[in-house]
């Protein structure tokens, strides 16, 4: 079974982003970029499937600027066998990415695609579901446990109020939640090995996909700031303030 | 312009998130219809018909719709979609699961987690874990939206008198099947709907220690929440998690106890009206957003707080 894992290059989750003063977006020049944390979990899960013998090949794919190659090399250092980059400088929205991924799925014919549940930059939480829809495949989002046997996958999902378990007919789409696994650290020898792995390059035109954005961002602003709070010396003062000043209890 | 709101329910009871989503639909303007897709969900349809401002309820009732499987539910929405300019889902686990599937089939972009409606085609949504707010405009013929429930005040659950119309249920896709559900039990208010939330973090130290929050939550009539650190450490169940990757809450009062205040946690609670932080580390980032901060050992402060209330 071949597994396809899409990965996204995003601003590192430790970076506190700043909104540009002209409100055109957030300032991501010269900030540290990393693989989206949910995608790391996806690569780890695919690698574990391979180590268990359930998967034969893991292909990492990414869409975006040339530097996404670094993200793909990281995926290959974790355990992906090879990579594919759809290179473009254009702004890519989830629907466009889903269409690019569909074209890659048509080419690669995987039985399983594992994506992160959302990217921590646009927080959209759409691409996996959209890809499933375009392919007409079943989906299991927010997965915290994945088992593959024969031509089906059993997935435990994190839902409001607890967990639910569903089975999917393969081929299928799975999106990862945080608790699915703990991604491994990449070691130096594996980073070196990853440099030698195959990395194919495509453009949206090669794949025949129109990536024009459907949503126009009119402006990006700072969230309303909270007014500065006060420190209270003891519990009695706290209760008094909550009762008489804030009037919330 | 007609809006379709997809009801969130458990086949017996309409969930509160539906009321916030109807509120967003009302802000867009035009008629508001509600789709109830489920099994044995007549009672839910009747509850939906009572919602203020709803003019029609569509009921699709069939066994294959019982568990909200994305493949079936998305097809059901698509079966009625052609009559609507806006399709709104609550931004819950279910809404997030299904909405993008509908959008992709309609070949339109989806706007996730809207917190404000500026115009029928222009919406505000948080990005980068709530560190920026984007205003986006959709040129698509149909707007598929998920609504962050804490961004809109719920409409009244009573006062409406919409007609309930049955619609044909779509066939089972056969692509997926429901196996089972593990529901975390709780007698407390639902986290996302509670007026007061008491949350514990890694500072609680253990699942056993977490119980010292029980009497405080009881006294305040509060829901219990947790930071991701506390959930990952096994101190609290995962559906208590407040944050970018958990639940987004905006109660009147949020009490953060032993929580440092990582960006991922703040994204889930910083729209609360009043925030109280109790932490022994005076440098903890949580004090940067707290209205009232108390630097103290929580194991002394919490019992003291309980007896002072």
């Amino acid at each position: 079974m071949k597994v396809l894992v899409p990965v996204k290059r995003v601003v590192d989750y430790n970076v506190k982003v700043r909104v540009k003063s002209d409100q055109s977006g957030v300032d991501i020049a010269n900030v540290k970029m990393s693989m989206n944390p949910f995608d790391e979990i996806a690569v780890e899960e695919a690698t574990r499937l391979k180590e268990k013998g359930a998967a034969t090949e893991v292909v990492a794919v990414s869409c975006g600027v040339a530097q996404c190659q670094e993200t793909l090399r990281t995926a290959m250092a974790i355990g992906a066998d090879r990579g594919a980059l759809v290179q473009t400088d254009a702004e890519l929205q989830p629907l466009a990415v889903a269409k690019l991924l569909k074209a890659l799925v048509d080419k690669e014919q995987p039985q399983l695609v594992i994506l992160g549940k959302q990217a921590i930059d646009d927080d959209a939480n759409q691409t996996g579901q959209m890809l499933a829809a375009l392919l007409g495949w079943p989906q299991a989002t927010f997965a915290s446990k994945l088992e593959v046997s024969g031509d089906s996958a059993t997935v435990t999902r994190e839902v409001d109020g607890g967990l639910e378990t569903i089975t999917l007919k393969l081929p299928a789409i799975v999106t990862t939640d945080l608790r699915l696994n703990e991604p491994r650290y990449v070691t130096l020898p594996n980073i070196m090995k990853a440099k030698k792995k195959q990395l194919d390059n495509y453009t949206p035109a090669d794949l025949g996909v129109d990536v024009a954005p459907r949503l126009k961002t009119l402006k990006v602003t700072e969230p309303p700031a909270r007014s500065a709070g006060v420190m209270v010396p003891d519990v009695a003062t706290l209760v008094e303030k909550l009762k008489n000043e804030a009037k919330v209890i | 312009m007609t809006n379709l709101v997809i009801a969130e329910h458990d086949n017996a009871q309409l969930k509160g998130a539906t009321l916030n989503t109807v509120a967003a639909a009302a802000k867009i303007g035009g008629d508001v219809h509600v789709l109830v897709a489920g099994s044995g969900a007549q009672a839910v349809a009747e509850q939906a018909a009572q919602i203020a401002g709803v003019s029609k309820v569509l009921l699709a009732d069939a066994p294959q719709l019982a568990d909200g499987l994305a493949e079936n539910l998305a097809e059901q929405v698509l079966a009625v979609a052609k009559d609507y300019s806006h399709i709104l889902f609550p931004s819950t686990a279910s809404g997030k699961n299904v909405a993008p599937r509908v959008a992709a089939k309609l070949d339109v972009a989806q706007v996730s987690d809207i917190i404000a409606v500026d115009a029928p085609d222009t919406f505000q949504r948080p990005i980068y874990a709530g560190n920026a707010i984007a205003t986006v405009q959709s040129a698509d013929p149909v707007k598929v939206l998920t609504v962050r429930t804490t961004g809109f005040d719920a409409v009244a659950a009573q006062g409406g008198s919409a007609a309930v119309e049955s619609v044909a249920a779509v066939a089972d896709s056969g692509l997926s099947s429901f196996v089972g559900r593990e529901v975390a039990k709780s007698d407390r208010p639902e986290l996302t709907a509670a007026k007061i939330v008491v949350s514990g973090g890694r500072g609680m130290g253990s699942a056993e220690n977490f119980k010292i929050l029980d009497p405080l939550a009881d006294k305040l009539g509060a829901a219990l929440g947790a930071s991701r650190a506390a959930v990952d450490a096994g101190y609290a169940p995962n559906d208590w998690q407040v944050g970018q990757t958990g639940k987004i809450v905006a109660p009147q009062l949020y009490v953060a106890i032993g929580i440092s205040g990582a960006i991922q946690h703040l994204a889930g609670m910083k729209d609360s009206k009043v925030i109280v932080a109790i932490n022994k580390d005076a440098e903890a980032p949580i004090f940067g957003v707290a209205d009232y901060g108390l630097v103290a050992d929580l194991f002394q402060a919490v019992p003291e707080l309980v007896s002072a209330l």
Side-chain angles (χ1 to χ4, degrees):
Chain A
M1 181 179 79
K2 191 192 278 187
V3 182
L4 196 74
V5 187
V7 294
K8 185 176 186 184
R9 176 178 181 264
V10 298
V11 170
D12 188 84
Y13 73 99
N14 282 313
V15 173
K16 175 118 172 59
V17 295
R18 281 205 318 271
V19 172
K20 287 191 206 165
S21 54
D22 65 357
Q23 301 194 334
S24 63
V26 298
D27 195 355
I28 56 166
N30 305 317
V31 303
K32 186 181 180 219
M33 306 292 280
S34 301
M35 189 191 299
N36 181 43
F38 293 103
D39 302 349
E40 265 185 77
I41 295 170
V43 179
E44 174 67 34
E45 193 67 18
T47 304
R48 289 186 190 186
L49 284 174
K50 198 181 154 199
E51 287 165 351
K52 277 192 286 191
T56 51
E57 189 183 28
V58 176
V59 183
V61 301
S62 192
C63 305
V65 295
Q67 292 91 323
C68 294
Q69 285 187 12
E70 295 159 19
T71 315
L72 287 169
R73 293 290 173 200
T74 307
M76 289 188 261
I78 296 173
D81 296 292
R82 57 189 173 87
L85 171 64
V86 183
Q87 195 175 327
T88 172
D89 290 332
E91 181 201 347
L92 293 176
Q93 293 179 348
L95 183 61
V97 174
K99 288 178 180 178
L100 292 171
L101 294 176
K102 178 181 183 293
L104 289 173
V105 167
D106 290 343
K107 242 182 216 317
E108 297 279 352
Q109 300 283 320
Q111 286 292 99
L112 190 62
V113 182
I114 309 179
L115 306 89
K117 80 164 174 182
Q118 73 187 59
I120 59 166
D121 51 0
D122 63 11
D123 285 335
N125 192 336
Q126 300 174 6
T127 307
Q129 296 91 313
M130 286 182 155
L131 177 61
L134 296 176
L135 290 164
W137 290 5
Q139 68 184 48
T141 50
F142 323 139
S144 59
K145 195 173 167 203
L146 166 65
E147 276 167 16
V148 178
S149 65
D151 62 351
S152 74
T154 302
V155 183
T156 302
R157 307 177 54 230
E158 299 202 359
V159 295
D160 298 334
L163 301 170
E164 75 173 37
T165 304
I166 59 174
T167 58
L168 309 175
K169 261 193 195 152
L170 296 179
I173 305 289
V174 172
T175 76
T176 63
D177 216 321
L178 278 170
R179 267 165 291 271
L180 183 60
N181 61 47
E182 186 98 18
R184 69 193 68 183
Y185 287 105
V186 295
T187 59
L188 189 60
N190 284 340
I191 292 172
M192 300 313 288
K193 270 185 231 158
K195 288 186 178 165
K196 297 202 181 74
K197 290 181 179 174
Q198 180 190 342
L199 202 164
D200 298 323
N201 256 287
Y202 302 95
T203 65
D206 294 339
L207 301 172
V209 175
D210 173 14
V211 296
R214 300 294 190 81
L215 296 175
K216 192 168 140 198
T217 300
L218 302 180
K219 62 175 177 181
V220 175
T221 53
E222 295 271 358
R226 292 189 72 91
S227 52
V230 296
M231 300 303 281
V232 295
D234 51 37
V235 166
T237 318
L238 175 63
V239 172
E240 190 274 322
K241 293 243 185 216
L242 288 177
K243 278 189 174 146
N244 302 321
E245 199 175 273
K247 296 188 170 59
V248 283
I249 55 172
Chain B
M1 210 158 45
T2 314
N3 302 292
L4 181 67
V5 169
I6 314 305
E8 173 105 358
H9 65 89
D10 60 5
N11 292 316
Q13 192 69 37
L14 190 74
K15 294 281 172 71
T18 313
L19 302 175
N20 307 83
T21 311
V22 169
K27 283 244 167 74
I28 291 166
D31 281 352
V32 180
H33 296 182
V34 174
L35 171 68
V36 175
S39 176
Q42 180 69 32
V44 178
E46 281 159 20
Q47 291 160 29
Q50 305 273 311
I51 301 174
V54 170
S55 57
K56 187 152 92 175
V57 175
L58 304 176
L59 173 62
D61 206 302
Q64 64 271 26
L65 295 169
D67 299 300
L69 290 169
E71 297 76 19
N72 293 345
L73 188 48
E75 283 307 316
Q76 189 64 55
V77 175
L78 289 163
V80 298
K82 64 178 190 329
D83 299 330
Y84 298 95
S85 60
H86 294 74
I87 302 176
L88 300 91
F89 294 77
S91 197
T92 55
S94 168
K96 290 180 195 170
N97 189 31
V98 178
R101 214 174 157 103
V102 171
K105 287 263 168 98
L106 293 170
D107 193 29
V108 303
Q110 178 198 309
V111 188
S112 296
D113 261 344
I114 63 164
I115 53 169
V117 175
D118 287 0
D121 65 350
T122 308
F123 312 94
Q124 292 181 29
R125 59 177 305 262
I127 53 175
Y128 289 92
N131 286 305
I133 307 295
T135 303
V136 297
Q137 188 175 37
S138 162
D140 284 323
V142 182
K143 277 67 164 168
V144 176
L145 312 166
T146 60
V147 176
R148 180 168 287 192
T149 51
T150 57
F152 297 87
D153 292 330
V155 297
Q158 302 291 331
S161 57
V164 178
E165 186 182 299
S166 281
V167 295
V170 294
D172 190 355
S173 73
L175 292 171
S176 64
S177 55
F178 182 79
V179 178
R181 188 172 281 133
E182 244 178 83
V183 181
K185 276 207 195 109
S186 173
D187 305 328
R188 301 184 191 284
E190 202 193 341
L191 189 54
T192 50
K195 289 209 161 52
I196 301 180
V197 173
V198 173
S199 270
R202 198 194 287 280
M204 302 306 298
S206 71
E208 203 50 40
N209 290 345
F210 221 90
K211 294 204 175 78
I212 73 162
L213 298 184
D214 285 348
L216 180 59
D218 287 340
K219 273 240 161 127
L220 292 168
L224 280 171
S227 69
R228 187 189 155 199
V231 171
D232 282 352
Y235 304 169
N238 67 35
D239 59 313
W240 287 14
Q241 185 182 321
V242 172
Q244 184 191 12
T245 56
K247 298 225 166 83
I248 313 286
V249 300
Q252 294 289 306
L253 173 62
Y254 188 89
V255 188
I257 299 174
I259 292 176
S260 64
I263 295 178
Q264 115 88 20
H265 185 75
L266 300 183
M269 46 65 83
K270 68 182 170 47
D271 293 325
S272 306
K273 184 156 174 275
V274 175
I275 297 172
V276 170
I278 301 176
N279 203 304
K280 65 180 174 196
D281 175 10
E283 303 298 315
I286 190 78
F287 289 120
V289 300
D291 298 279
Y292 302 106
L294 174 64
V295 179
D297 180 353
L298 67 95
F299 297 104
Q300 283 170 14
V302 171
E304 239 183 275
L305 189 52
V306 172
S307 52
L309 287 167

